Amino acid sequence: MHEASTLGIRVEERRLPNGLCGVYYEPARLIILDESLPDFQRRCTLCHELVHARYHDTGCGTIYGVKAERRARRETALRLIDPVEYASAEELHEGDAYRIACELDVTLQVVEDYRRLLHDTLR
């Protein structure tokens, strides 16, 4: 939460519709997280929404929004996954993404985004 206050962002928790985990609303500098998220998912979602806040992203309905979402997912994966811990978990769990996510205490989406980064880096 320290980063949120440094950026001047308020963070609130409440019930969100349509399976949304979190949203960032730039005009109010507000992040809303779904109140029912387990801790690991709350941490991943907060990190993702803080990336949007850091760049003052305004929405996902435009071409810019698609790029902002891609950036937020990439930066979230890089912030939450340590390369050494990932390599160890990858070997320990024989590449099983779900078990790797559990080991690293992140969402499956964050692991998949991290893998995409590794793949793109190797190309």
Side-chain angles (χ1 to χ4, degrees):
M1 287 291 211
H2 176 68
E3 184 177 359
S5 60
T6 301
L7 292 171
I9 304 297
R10 277 191 354 253
V11 179
E12 296 179 5
E13 292 189 45
R14 57 178 91 140
R15 182 60 98 190
L16 289 175
N18 305 323
L20 286 173
C21 294
V23 294
Y24 172 64
Y25 183 60
E26 170 64 22
R29 303 288 287 160
L30 173 66
I31 291 173
I32 302 172
L33 302 175
D34 188 277
E35 64 190 12
S36 67
L37 296 176
D39 288 343
F40 77 96
Q41 194 172 12
R42 180 179 294 109
R43 183 172 64 93
C44 294
T45 303
L46 179 58
C47 183
H48 177 97
E49 298 306 333
L50 282 169
V51 174
H52 286 309
R54 194 173 314 113
Y55 291 100
H56 303 275
D57 294 337
T58 56
C60 6
T62 66
I63 290 176
Y64 171 76
V66 171
K67 290 180 181 180
E69 187 62 20
R70 202 175 6 217
R71 178 186 58 222
R73 289 174 60 170
R74 180 178 60 247
E75 289 192 23
T76 298
L78 289 171
R79 277 191 105 158
L80 295 180
I81 294 183
D82 176 89
V84 173
E85 290 177 7
Y86 177 83
S88 176
E90 176 83 32
E91 185 175 334
L92 178 66
H93 298 295
E94 300 174 340
D96 183 305
Y98 175 79
R99 289 172 50 201
I100 293 168
C102 291
E103 175 84 16
L104 300 177
D105 203 28
V106 296
T107 63
L108 186 55
Q109 182 68 62
V110 171
V111 168
E112 290 170 352
D113 291 340
Y114 189 79
R115 284 181 164 177
R116 198 166 298 112
L117 283 166
L118 290 176
H119 179 266
D120 292 348
T121 302
L122 293 173
R123 283 195 302 155

